[in-house]
């Protein structure tokens, strides 16, 4: 569903830009032709800029370091370059280009489950899928649907992906989740009733305590990500936050003071987790930073049954 929606949006914007440019070019009004087409195609950069201004304004007394203007500018530019490849290419047109990988003989290996975030699909993870498959790592990437449903609806999808990996490997997987996907994983864990359901969970820019921007969201899953919201309170209660160290000891949470979607930045951390700050990186771009993939790779390659554990080779290099 999401792939087709983003196909329509992407192709419509391209058609509108071409039509605009052609209309004014025929009149010899080249400034209007070029300027309008660029605004249609790159207007998203202005929206991103507004988000960065907002994250700077609402930082308040958040314990994360405050980003400087130069860091915010670099993060904005990184997101400007990264976002089109995700939302206008991988997700609409390449969501099935990189298949899941559950090879024969995977028993005993540490597998990986990839869970995307809000208004995304499995195409988000294409660079990760290529790299893990090239290394022979069992990996499954999910599609969370309905796109604008409740986060609770995604728990069975996560459960099914985990079951597939466990069936192939015979062991609990490593789960990697971006943004809202981390909340879907927590919802599943809060109800699965199994203490060793996962080897570890890595979240990337997940609004564990909600995000300021969610006040503008009106979809069911958007409302659930509001700060101090009822749904997050219920989730925390079910997890037993009176002893957070026991609950979140298997979490590694990557967050950034330049995250333009999940802010203030410390909302992407969990008490008792291994919280790792990545400086100067925006929301989508954060998932493709070397230190994030390397943290996952180090666990996969160190696994006793891993096909790469006996070698000293580094993570396979592939363009993100």
């Amino acid at each position: 569903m999401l792939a087709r929606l983003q196909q329509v949006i992407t192709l419509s914007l391209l058609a509108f830009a071409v039509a605009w440019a052609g209309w004014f070019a025929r009149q010899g009004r080249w400034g209007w032709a070029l300027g309008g087409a660029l605004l249609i195609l790159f207007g998203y950069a202005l929206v991103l800029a507004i988000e960065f201004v907002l994250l700077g304004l609402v930082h308040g007394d958040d314990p994360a370091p405050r980003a400087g203007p130069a860091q915010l500018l670099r993060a904005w530019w990184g997101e400007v370059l990264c976002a089109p490849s995700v939302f206008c290419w991988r997700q609409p047109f390449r969501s099935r280009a990189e298949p899941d990988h559950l090879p024969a003989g995977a028993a005993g290996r540490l597998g990986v489950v990839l869970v995307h975030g809000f208004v995304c699909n499995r195409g988000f993870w294409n660079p990760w899928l290529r790299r893990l498959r090239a290394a022979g790592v069992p990996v499954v990437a999910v599609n969370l649907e309905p796109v604008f449903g409740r986060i609770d609806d995604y728990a069975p999808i996560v459960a099914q992906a985990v079951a597939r990996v466990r069936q192939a490997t015979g062991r609990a997987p490593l789960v990697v989740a971006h943004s809202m996907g981390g909340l879907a994983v927590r919802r599943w864990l809060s109800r699965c009733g199994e203490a060793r359901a996962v080897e570890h969970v890595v979240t990337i820019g997940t609004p564990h305590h909600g995000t300021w921007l969610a006040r503008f969201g009106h979809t069911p899953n958007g409302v659930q990500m509001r700060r101090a919201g009822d749904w997050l309170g219920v989730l925390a209660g079910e997890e037993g936050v009176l002893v957070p160290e026991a609950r979140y000891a298997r979490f590694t949470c990557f967050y950034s003071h330049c995250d333009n979607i999940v802010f203030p930045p410390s909302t992407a951390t969990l008490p008792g987790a291994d919280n790792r700050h990545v400086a100067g990186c925006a929301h989508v771009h954060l998932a493709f930073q070397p230190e994030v993939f390397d943290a996952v790779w180090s666990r996969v390659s160190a696994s006793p049954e891993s096909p790469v554990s006996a070698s000293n080779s580094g993570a396979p290099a592939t363009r993100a």
Side-chain angles (χ1 to χ4, degrees):
M1 172 185 172
L2 180 69
R4 291 189 177 182
L5 176 62
Q6 291 184 336
Q7 286 173 11
V8 171
I9 292 172
T10 299
L11 295 176
S12 296
L13 285 173
L14 287 172
F16 187 29
V18 170
W20 177 284
W23 174 266
F24 285 99
R26 284 195 298 269
Q27 302 176 40
R29 302 169 69 180
W30 295 102
W32 279 88
L34 180 60
L38 290 175
L39 182 61
I40 293 167
L41 295 177
F42 298 103
Y44 73 94
L46 298 178
V47 176
L48 290 175
I50 293 172
E51 292 173 351
F52 279 96
V53 170
L54 290 173
L55 81 86
L57 291 175
V58 304
H59 186 277
D61 59 355
D62 190 88
R66 183 181 289 272
Q71 290 176 312
L72 291 171
L73 182 60
R74 285 196 299 271
W76 169 80
W77 182 242
E79 200 77 344
V80 167
L81 296 178
C82 181
S85 66
V86 172
F87 296 103
C88 299
W89 178 240
R90 289 182 212 157
Q91 294 185 169
F93 301 104
R94 304 283 292 171
S95 67
R96 295 292 179 183
E98 303 293 339
D100 296 336
H101 183 60
L102 296 174
R109 300 181 189 175
L110 178 59
V112 177
V113 173
L114 301 173
V115 186
H116 64 76
F118 185 64
V119 194
C120 291
N121 63 24
R122 68 185 307 281
F124 179 91
W125 296 109
N126 281 358
W128 283 67
L129 287 163
R130 283 195 298 271
R131 298 175 76 172
L132 294 172
R133 188 176 68 250
V137 177
V139 58
V140 169
V142 306
N143 273 331
L144 299 181
E145 293 185 347
V147 176
F148 299 114
R150 298 166 65 247
I151 296 175
D152 310 74
D153 298 335
Y154 307 143
I157 300 173
V158 176
Q160 184 180 40
V162 169
R164 289 181 62 202
V165 174
R166 291 191 70 160
Q167 184 176 15
T169 65
R171 59 185 294 187
L174 169 65
V175 179
V176 183
H178 179 250
S179 193
M180 181 195 69
L183 297 179
V185 172
R186 285 176 58 195
R187 166 49 78 211
W188 163 65
L189 282 172
S190 73
R191 294 181 173 177
C192 75
E194 185 178 351
R196 301 291 299 185
V198 294
E199 172 78 18
H200 198 75
V201 178
V202 175
T203 65
I204 309 165
T206 289
H208 289 298
H209 304 286
T211 173
W212 186 91
L213 268 186
R215 66 187 58 202
F216 302 112
H218 297 287
T219 62
N221 45 9
V223 171
Q224 288 176 320
M225 290 187 282
R226 291 179 180 176
R227 294 192 72 192
D230 293 340
W231 185 83
L232 287 171
V234 171
L235 174 61
E238 292 184 1
E239 290 174 320
V241 293
L242 293 178
V243 284
E245 292 78 8
R247 171 58 66 178
Y248 303 130
R250 292 184 192 169
F251 278 73
T252 296
C253 303
F254 285 94
Y255 70 108
S256 177
H257 59 175
C258 290
D259 190 322
N260 55 306
I261 298 297
V262 179
F263 58 86
S266 292
T267 58
T269 66
L270 285 170
D274 180 6
N275 298 305
R276 303 188 188 185
H277 182 252
V278 181
C281 191
H283 187 67
V284 173
H285 204 198
L286 182 60
F288 306 104
Q289 296 307 298
E291 54 262 59
V292 178
F293 184 84
D294 289 348
V296 173
W297 180 258
S298 66
R299 288 184 173 274
V300 171
S301 60
S303 176
E305 298 294 331
S306 169
V308 295
S309 62
S311 73
N312 294 320
S313 61
T318 303
R319 286 185 61 189

